[in-house]
Amino acid sequence: MITYNENERVFKLDTPNTTYMIGIVDEENFVGHIYYGRKLEDTDASYLMRTGEPPFVPSRNNRERCSFYDCFPFEYPASGLGDYREGCIGIRTAGGHAGAVLSYVSHEIMAGKPGLEGLPATFGTEEECTTLKLLCEDRYVGMQVELLYTVFHDTDVITRSVRVTNTGTGHFYLTKVYSACIDMDNRDYDMVTLHGSWARERHIQRKTLGYGIQSVSSFRGESSHQDHPFLALVDKNTTQENGEIYAMNFVYSGNFRAQAEVTQFDYVRMTMGIHPENFCWKLESGESFQAPEVVMVYTDKGFDAMTAAFHRLYKKHLIRSEYRDRKRPILINNWEATYFDFNTEKLLSIAREASKLGIEMLVMDDGWFGRRNADDCALGDWKVNEEKINGGLKYLVDEVNKLGMKFGIWFEPEMISPDSDLYREHPDWAIAIPGRPGTESRQQFVLDLSRQEVVDCIYEKVASVLRSANIEYVKWDMNRQLTDIGSYGLPADRQGELYHRYVLAVYQMQDRLTKEFPHLLLENCSGGGARFDPGMLYFSPQIWCSDDADAIERLEIQEGTALLYPLSTMGAHVSDCPNHTVGRVTPFETRGIVALAGTFGYELDVTKIPQEDRDMIPGQVAMYHKYNDLVREGDYYRIASYSQNHKFDCWQVVSGDRKQSLVTFVQVLNRANFKSRRILLKGLDAGKRYNVSFVNDDNIEDKVYSGEMLMKAGLLVPNPWGDFRARLIFLDEA
Ligand code: GLA
């Protein structure tokens, strides 16, 4: 619900358990942030803006206007006039100047939620959410800024975005435009962020918030392996189950910056938006710029509650694919099985064996097109290599279909190899600084998708392959980050638009693809999990989590990913051993149990793995069919974290009716002479009784316990024998 109290000039935005308040102040109608936190009944909280303290408001004390600007809690701060904290919006007028401050003009409160032009965004019906449009302006610049807030009625989430319009007569440049800001008191917070690298994405970091600016960001042209568009400020005492959290997550797949700035007065300004590095957007008179959406979550109930809010929102109000609520076909991908060395016969031999074991889809990865026999050529030449795919693509797909399996294919549409027919024909289609040799990465360049002719040409190449056979799945990859930011297609004063135009074009292409092929299962990927973000989830219900499928490395990757994203979105496969990334040997059973927490599939050559591993596949397939509804739709809880305790990992899912639950326990290194572990379960119905069975260990007898006992006293999990051992525990109402 959203209300406006005209006397107090206060907006109050309520979700089920939280309140957000905005106030209009002084004759100049400054827009201030009042409050975000536990739900309030009272609206009279304007005192929190401290306008009753020196330096007071400008109408009372104009001599200290600068001090006012520097301490007022702005709802959407600009800069250059006295607020020395970092602002959310930067402009450069035709005259070359930069100062701005925003004043309230008008507002509108409406049922539902408008879409954001060209951008992915969360959505909801008129019953599910309410939106506030707050129109502000700087009349000296000739700029209007529309702040959009949506509250969801069934989830403790507020989304925000910003639209800037040039209402003047000439042009100006936007040099920065963040999407959200909260100016509040720093109550000794910690900062939680996600970091990593290729093959070890999204590890959780928590550190003390200090004075000055602390940020997490990417200007790699994508959300990245290295940093993640997520920032949470949390109370020192916040745990999984208790404590305050202010969290922001960005519905965007390009450059971002999330930042907390602690000031001289112990205030903190928390912001998120497009990274200003090399961003400069020209707005002609009458033109607008739409900034992407930020999802904000507040809770005083710890990380479990924060995670629940994000999962719920993304499951119900972000992912659109018809696969969202469906079991995904169990796939086998040939990448780690064959790399580039395959042909029709080899693929069919894998498919034949896989189909006997219950695997439901063959995915042909990199290497099927052009002269692509290594990663040094042919990106852009999206024509089937009939020397390898002898008999043609349709023949291969039909043969796979005859085995009762679906067929999927890999593309990397955004790229161009210097050694490709496409590049020889269109050297100016690569992103490059004219006159400077381009910087190669994985021996490839990035296509200049700011040019519509490039987008149309590549889209058509991809779509015509998809039209040529019964292809039911696409893995859309992106294997290098952006450099050499320059476009042959943009004028000099629009080169600073390239990064964002690139992301808009990726969205446009995926939008076209999912509209033309509405039944396609799309899986996004970027050198593993470099573009695992809410922007991509709008187009694909699943994203490849990481190129590292080692069961132990995956514990941290999947913990960090599941902090925000539903298990149904996490691409997870069983791969071969020794693991191709870390060389570790883990039991096949454990690899299966860890992959069951995601979309589940295989990434190995079933014709070559040891017989005893192959023999386990039908059992794993059966487990997937038995438990996937629960994993996909259930509520997720983190029970223990290997990244914190360095001993074991444990997570749990519980069905909506709380009749069933699945607990995964993974012991990393075994310890000599150790007893069972006592773990406290969560989310059960205290009054129900549950039959507890250890799915992968017949020697442990089933037992019945009450939900109360399991949650308060705990379950004893016998110590598994050996390293890297997992236990899957199923609870069913007795
Ligand atoms: C990326 C992907 C892999 C695989 C290769 C192919 O690294 O993450 O899964 O598809 O590209 O080149």
Side-chain angles (χ1 to χ4, degrees):
M1 199 171 67
I2 301 180
T3 51
Y4 179 57
N5 182 327
E6 241 170 275
N7 295 331
E8 290 165 11
R9 303 217 290 169
V10 167
F11 295 95
K12 184 164 180 285
L13 291 68
D14 290 322
T15 71
N17 300 295
T18 73
T19 291
Y20 188 100
M21 286 166 80
I22 302 165
I24 314 292
V25 172
D26 204 27
E27 292 159 4
E28 291 175 56
N29 296 332
F30 299 112
V31 187
H33 176 73
I34 300 178
Y35 174 85
Y36 187 26
R38 277 183 292 171
K39 192 162 191 167
L40 291 177
E41 295 309 326
D42 210 339
T43 60
D44 196 8
S46 310
Y47 65 95
L48 290 173
M49 291 185 287
R50 296 188 172 91
T51 48
E53 295 174 22
F56 305 110
V57 289
S59 63
R60 181 164 165 196
N61 180 19
N62 198 32
R63 289 167 306 160
E64 290 301 345
R65 180 181 282 268
C66 180
S67 301
F68 169 77
Y69 284 156
D70 203 22
C71 63
F72 182 68
F74 281 104
E75 190 54 34
Y76 191 70
S79 56
L81 301 177
D83 184 350
Y84 292 103
R85 297 162 290 181
E86 200 195 312
C88 284
I89 184 164
I91 49 126
R92 190 156 295 277
T93 61
H97 305 119
V101 65
L102 295 173
S103 307
Y104 166 84
V105 177
S106 65
H107 72 270
E108 197 184 328
I109 295 170
M110 62 182 91
K113 182 172 191 295
L116 304 184
E117 201 188 325
L119 286 167
T122 57
F123 50 80
T125 63
E126 295 193 350
E127 288 71 44
E128 290 169 336
C129 50
T130 309
T131 297
L132 166 68
K133 267 189 191 176
L134 204 58
L135 189 67
C136 308
E137 70 172 358
D138 182 308
R139 62 193 168 92
Y140 300 97
V141 174
M143 168 173 77
Q144 286 199 333
V145 177
E146 190 180 272
L147 307 178
L148 206 68
Y149 301 78
T150 298
V151 297
F152 283 82
H153 303 159
D154 63 352
T155 312
D156 287 313
V157 159
I158 299 176
T159 61
R160 291 176 65 169
S161 64
V162 172
R163 188 178 174 84
V164 183
T165 303
N166 180 349
T167 51
T169 48
H171 68 269
F172 66 81
Y173 297 95
L174 259 183
T175 55
K176 186 201 303 179
V177 54
Y178 290 165
S179 296
C181 173
I182 313 174
D183 259 359
M184 55 186 174
D185 290 31
N186 177 25
R187 282 172 289 149
D188 211 8
Y189 292 129
D190 281 348
M191 172 170 170
V192 178
T193 47
L194 300 171
H195 303 271
S197 183
W198 173 74
R200 50 182 162 83
E201 296 87 343
R202 289 174 296 286
H203 289 202
I204 300 169
Q205 174 179 277
R206 178 170 180 165
K207 65 179 190 189
T208 302
L209 189 66
Y211 285 105
I213 287 177
Q214 290 112 103
S215 69
V216 51
S217 69
S218 160
F219 50 89
R220 296 168 181 270
E222 60 172 354
S223 41
S224 89
H225 303 98
Q226 288 77 7
D227 300 286
H228 198 71
F230 164 74
L231 170 65
L233 300 186
V234 314
D235 195 87
K236 275 266 166 299
N237 302 317
T238 292
T239 61
Q240 272 310 122
E241 299 83 16
N242 284 300
E244 284 203 299
I245 300 179
Y246 291 88
M248 288 183 179
N249 191 197
F250 204 21
V251 188
Y252 189 61
S253 313
N255 294 349
F256 73 89
R257 188 194 265 165
Q259 184 166 294
E261 178 175 2
V262 180
T263 73
Q264 55 185 334
F265 304 119
D266 285 348
Y267 301 160
V268 57
R269 172 170 288 175
M270 181 182 186
T271 53
M272 180 175 272
I274 292 178
H275 201 298
E277 172 79 19
N278 207 348
F279 174 85
C280 184
W281 195 279
K282 187 177 186 183
L283 279 181
E284 298 284 4
S285 173
E287 283 182 354
S288 297
F289 181 88
Q290 176 63 59
E293 177 167 276
V294 166
V295 175
M296 302 195 307
V297 170
Y298 167 82
T299 179
D300 64 341
K301 307 234 161 3
F303 290 104
D304 281 336
M306 178 198 80
T307 295
F310 280 117
H311 283 204
R312 196 183 163 86
L313 183 81
Y314 295 157
K315 278 192 215 170
K316 286 183 69 181
H317 302 288
L318 177 69
I319 300 166
R320 302 173 304 163
S321 160
E322 64 175 38
Y323 272 103
R324 180 183 75 178
D325 304 322
R326 276 173 38 199
K327 228 192 298 171
R328 321 284 157 76
I330 300 174
L331 67 82
I332 183 158
N333 178 303
N334 76 310
W335 178 240
E336 290 197 11
T338 66
Y339 293 102
F340 293 100
D341 181 19
F342 62 89
N343 58 19
T344 298
E345 206 27 63
K346 201 169 205 175
L347 292 176
L348 285 177
S349 69
I350 291 175
R352 272 184 219 112
E353 187 63 28
S355 71
K356 284 189 224 149
L357 299 169
I359 296 172
E360 300 161 314
M361 177 160 76
L362 177 77
V363 175
M364 179 171 68
D365 211 279
D366 192 357
W368 56 266
F369 52 92
R371 289 178 296 100
R372 182 94 167 164
N373 293 315
D375 61 9
D376 59 355
C377 68
L379 293 170
D381 298 342
W382 300 111
K383 260 213 174 108
V384 179
N385 176 350
E386 298 215 357
E387 277 169 34
K388 280 166 109 170
I389 309 305
N390 35 317
L393 184 60
K394 183 155 180 355
Y395 168 75
L396 171 62
V397 177
D398 288 348
E399 288 303 299
V400 170
N401 286 169
K402 279 186 208 157
L403 295 168
M405 293 175 85
K406 295 178 190 295
F407 185 89
I409 197 168
W410 177 98
F411 282 100
E412 198 180 353
E414 300 158 59
M415 298 293 151
I416 182 164
S417 304
D419 179 7
S420 65
D421 294 341
L422 187 70
Y423 189 74
R424 281 181 280 276
E425 209 179 314
H426 298 288
D428 61 326
W429 279 17
I431 288 180
I433 298 173
R436 172 183 281 273
T439 311
E440 287 184 36
S441 176
R442 211 194 190 212
Q443 305 178 75
Q444 64 199 58
F445 295 134
V446 184
L447 278 166
D448 180 0
L449 301 181
S450 72
R451 300 172 69 164
Q452 191 60 41
E453 72 267 35
V454 178
V455 169
D456 292 341
C457 168
I458 298 295
Y459 178 80
E460 200 42 44
K461 282 175 189 251
V462 171
S464 61
V465 173
L466 298 182
R467 289 178 206 126
S468 73
N470 183 28
I471 297 170
E472 298 178 78
Y473 162 106
V474 163
K475 176 175 172 188
W476 179 303
D477 208 343
M478 190 241 191
N479 275 325
R480 65 154 290 178
Q481 302 176 326
L482 276 61
T483 56
D484 305 71
I485 297 307
S487 164
Y488 284 93
L490 291 170
D493 63 350
R494 288 195 180 272
Q495 291 288 330
E497 301 178 10
L498 180 55
Y499 270 128
H500 183 60
R501 286 185 184 276
Y502 178 87
V503 180
L504 292 179
V506 172
Y507 292 152
Q508 185 208 122
M509 285 170 90
Q510 297 211 349
D511 199 46
R512 279 161 80 172
L513 191 75
T514 49
K515 282 192 175 123
E516 182 177 345
F517 305 96
H519 308 303
L520 187 75
L521 173 56
L522 181 62
E523 175 155 1
N524 268 292
C525 171
S526 177
R531 216 163 48 181
F532 200 123
D533 59 58
M536 300 319 285
L537 284 179
Y538 184 72
F539 301 98
S540 67
Q542 61 194 56
I543 302 176
W544 183 226
C545 231
S546 175
D547 276 349
D548 192 341
D550 168 62
I552 302 307
E553 178 57 42
R554 275 288 178 134
L555 298 177
E556 282 189 75
I557 296 172
Q558 294 183 187
E559 178 192 10
T561 307
L563 186 68
L564 304 174
Y565 307 109
L567 303 190
S568 63
T569 65
M570 300 197 308
H573 298 165
V574 178
S575 64
D576 206 359
C577 269
N579 177 269
H580 293 196
T581 319
V582 290
R584 189 178 289 129
V585 177
T586 55
F588 197 77
E589 180 181 66
T590 302
R591 282 175 263 156
I593 288 176
V594 172
L596 276 179
T599 55
F600 196 70
Y602 293 87
E603 187 113 359
L604 40 73
D605 186 344
V606 263
T607 66
K608 289 199 178 137
I609 56 171
Q611 185 64 38
E612 66 264 30
D613 289 355
R614 191 156 52 233
D615 290 346
M616 291 182 83
I617 293 180
Q620 292 181 336
V621 166
M623 282 202 290
Y624 171 79
H625 288 303
K626 179 162 183 200
Y627 300 122
N628 184 257
D629 285 350
L630 182 54
V631 169
R632 218 182 50 247
E633 286 163 16
D635 298 326
Y636 163 88
Y637 297 92
R638 174 59 42 181
I639 307 292
S641 161
Y642 164 62
S643 61
Q644 283 172 28
N645 65 33
H646 306 296
K647 295 184 181 106
F648 70 103
D649 214 45
C650 187
W651 65 89
Q652 182 189 4
V653 284
V654 182
S655 64
D657 59 11
R658 297 198 279 175
K659 289 184 173 172
Q660 294 190 327
S661 175
L662 192 68
V663 180
T664 309
F665 177 96
V666 182
Q667 169 178 277
V668 180
L669 293 183
N670 195 12
R671 303 173 86 196
N673 187 24
F674 210 71
K675 304 291 181 203
S676 58
R677 287 234 177 246
R678 185 171 139 199
I679 54 168
L680 302 187
L681 300 187
K682 297 180 185 177
L684 302 173
D685 183 337
K688 285 193 183 0
R689 295 182 69 73
Y690 296 90
N691 183 57
V692 177
S693 60
F694 286 76
V695 176
N696 59 323
D697 200 328
D698 299 337
N699 298 325
I700 306 173
E701 227 182 288
D702 285 12
K703 281 204 181 121
V704 175
Y705 301 90
S706 68
E708 183 197 24
M709 201 60 94
L710 291 167
M711 292 192 291
K712 291 184 184 163
L715 173 71
L716 297 179
V717 180
N719 195 33
W721 174 247
D723 297 336
F724 315 130
R725 288 279 165 190
R727 292 204 189 285
L728 198 64
I729 307 157
F730 181 54
L731 281 69
D732 203 3
E733 188 180 10

